[in-house]
Each structure stands twice: as C-alpha cells, then as structure tokens.
C-alpha cells in the first residue's frame, strides 16, 4: 500500500512535484498563447471569462503552487506536492462513487508514451468493479492540424485507454501512439457513442484535449496536467472540468504507477 507520506516522498524524488522539469519560460509562453486565444493552448476549452497572462499566473499559483511573481521569468517551475495529493484524493472519491453506481467511463490520453500504464491500471480497476470501459469509434480517422500541417491519425484503444496512432505507420498497432493536445479524438469518440445510441460515459478520465474537450461538453472529467497547460486548470476554475491533478507529465512512465496504486487503494478499487 502506498501511504500519503510515501507518495509525497515519491513525488519529490521523481520530480513529479517539487522542482519539476517544466521551465518557467515554457509556462509563460503557454500562458501568453492561451491569453491570445491560440487553439493549441485552449485544447477544446471555450473559456467564459477573459484570462490575461497575469490572471493565469495567479491561477496557476493557486492551483499548482508555481511562483505568483510575474517577474520570475526563467528557471524551473515548482508544483506543490500537497496540491497534487489533495487532487488525487478527490480523484479517488470520484472514482469510488463511479464504481458504486457502476458508471460507464471513457479514458484517453495525449501522452501515451508516458501515461498509458497509469490510465490502463485505472481502467482495469474500474472494470473489475463493474464499470463499463467504453471504446467508441475504434479505428476512426482523426485529422489533426499540427505545427507541421494536417496529419491523419487513427483512434485506437489499448487496455481500454484511447489514443491516436499515425495512419501511415508501416506496422500499425506497434507504435505506442502519438502525442497530441487535440480535443478531436474525444469529440469523435463521444459523437460515435451518441450515434450508436449510447451508453455515454458518466466520467471521462485523461489529459489535454480529452479532458477539456469532454468537460466543455458537460461531462464529469478527471484530468492530469502540467504547469505549462493552463486550459484544464481554467476549466476547473470555471466549472467545466471537475478536478485536475497538477504534476509533471513528462517523466518516465513507471514513475506514475505509485499514483495509480494510491488512487485505487483510496477508492477501494485495488485488485
């Protein structure tokens, strides 16, 4: 069993929280682009309010623990591990509630190389508790605009977790999946589920566009986000996203597994 103190120590040792790999320069650039309405940073969210760069710095200081000083412009950002743990506890409460009512769930990630194992373990735990893990629009084409132009992907599911793969891969199904912030995969998945007559998910779990895209449509959403991704935290502040866990989303994939065990234990979903 992973204890709270043990997980706090792991968060700091793995740099999932504390001083993280994300730089202040990266974060400030993201805040500027979000404030300018750049869709690459909005990732499916349509904010109700007007969010300037200073507003975003203040929000991220409150939600994540980064420096609230606009004059701090270089170096590494900091995530308060207490905020990470508190958000994981809320996740556990929400997952336990979903398990009690055997709610259908949808999981997806734009970081399959890093976070697939984390979400897959959650999918296994929820499935064992009687929840239906949905996989709508399997194999559906997804055209995503990137900085390199329009790229075509296919929506896939691995161990119940949605992701996109390059449509022109020489060995389909072998690559771990593509990194994307786009909300299009979750929009296509939800539309397919609706067109098929349901069921629709009662809870959507994931990151990037999966969380913001679903939250914007009114679904209960549980997300992970780094400090250079302000959209999920804005969504949380405005009520579109249910809860966001602040952490570094770019460390080794095995570093996230203690978080899964912690959440599953607290939700009484351990296998």
């Amino acid at each position: 069993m992973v204890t709270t103190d043990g997980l706090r120590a792991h968060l700091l040792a793995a740099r999932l929280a504390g001083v993280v790999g994300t730089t202040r320069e990266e974060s400030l650039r993201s805040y500027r682009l979000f404030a300018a309405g750049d869709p690459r940073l909005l990732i499916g969210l349509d904010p109700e309010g007007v969010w300037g760069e200073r507003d975003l710095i203040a929000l991220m200081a409150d939600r994540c623990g980064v420096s609230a000083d606009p004059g701090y412009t270089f170096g590494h950002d900091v995530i308060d591990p207490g905020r990470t743990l508190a958000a994981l506890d809320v996740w556990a409460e929400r997952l336990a509630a979903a398990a009690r009512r055997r709610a259908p769930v949808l999981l997806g990630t734009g970081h399959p190389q890093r976070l697939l194992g984390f979400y897959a373990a959650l999918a296994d735990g929820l499935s064992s508790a009687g929840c239906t893990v949905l996989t709508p629009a399997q194999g559906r084409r997804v055209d995503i605009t990137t900085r390199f132009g329009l790229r075509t992907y296919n929506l896939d599911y691995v161990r119940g977790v949605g992701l996109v793969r390059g449509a022109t891969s020489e060995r389909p199904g072998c690559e771990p999946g593509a990194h994307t912030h786009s909300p299009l995969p979750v929009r296509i998945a939800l539309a397919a589920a609706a067109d098929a007559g349901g069921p629709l998910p009662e809870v959507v779990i994931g990151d990037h566009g999966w969380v913001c895209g679903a939250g914007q449509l009114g679904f209960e959403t549980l997300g992970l986000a780094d400090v250079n991704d302000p959209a999920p935290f804005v969504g949380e502040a405005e009520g579109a996203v249910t809860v966001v866990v602040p952490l570094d989303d770019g460390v080794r994939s095995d570093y996230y597994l203690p978080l899964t065990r912690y959440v599953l234990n607290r939700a009484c979903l351990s296998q």
Side-chain angles (χ1 to χ4, degrees):
M1 178 179 294
V2 181
T3 66
T4 300
D5 288 343
L7 185 57
R8 181 188 296 270
H10 173 74
L11 291 171
L12 294 172
R15 296 187 67 181
L16 286 158
V19 179
V20 294
T22 309
T23 66
R24 184 68 164 186
E25 296 93 322
E26 291 177 81
S27 296
L28 293 178
R29 178 179 179 274
S30 295
Y31 305 163
R32 287 192 294 271
L33 291 173
F34 184 97
D38 191 316
R40 293 173 298 174
L41 271 298
L42 295 177
I43 56 177
L45 190 72
D46 183 14
E48 294 178 357
V50 177
W51 292 86
E53 185 178 351
R54 285 178 177 258
D55 300 318
L56 292 167
I57 292 172
L59 174 71
M60 299 301 279
D62 176 64
R63 300 290 165 133
C64 305
V66 304
S67 173
D69 180 7
Y72 175 55
T73 58
F74 64 93
H76 285 272
D77 255 325
V78 174
I79 296 175
D80 174 13
R83 288 171 168 85
T84 304
L85 289 165
L88 287 170
D89 287 345
V90 178
W91 264 52
E93 293 170 4
R94 296 283 182 167
L95 292 175
R100 284 194 297 270
R101 63 181 189 270
R102 297 188 176 182
V105 296
L106 176 66
L107 299 94
T109 181
H111 262 304
Q113 298 90 344
R114 306 293 185 184
L115 293 167
L116 178 59
F118 171 83
Y119 294 120
L122 294 181
D124 290 344
L126 289 165
S127 178
S128 295
C131 295
T132 300
V133 178
L134 303 175
T135 57
Q138 173 93 35
R140 191 72 56 87
R141 171 173 166 165
V142 186
D143 293 323
I144 299 176
T145 300
T146 73
R147 58 179 175 167
F148 306 108
L150 190 67
R151 294 289 185 268
T152 298
Y153 299 92
N154 290 326
L155 181 59
D156 195 9
Y157 291 88
V158 177
R159 294 178 58 195
V161 183
L163 50 84
V164 295
R165 299 186 190 277
T168 58
S169 171
E170 294 182 0
R171 301 177 63 196
C174 294
E175 73 279 16
H179 175 222
T180 180
H181 287 215
S182 174
L184 288 177
V186 76
R187 289 175 179 167
I188 289 172
L190 293 170
D195 290 345
L200 291 172
E202 293 184 22
V203 183
V204 177
I205 302 165
D207 48 63
H208 294 322
W210 284 87
V211 166
C212 289
Q216 186 63 43
L217 295 174
F219 291 89
E220 179 179 351
T221 46
L222 309 181
L224 305 179
D226 206 335
V227 291
N228 62 347
D229 290 324
F233 296 101
V234 171
E236 183 184 39
E238 293 189 342
V241 176
T242 308
V243 59
V244 185
V245 177
L247 49 70
D248 190 320
D249 62 9
V251 304
R252 282 174 33 180
S253 59
D254 57 312
Y255 287 172
Y256 299 98
L257 297 181
L259 281 69
T260 313
R261 291 195 292 270
Y262 178 83
V263 169
L264 290 175
N265 283 336
R266 293 187 70 84
C268 299
L269 293 174
S270 299
Q271 297 180 18

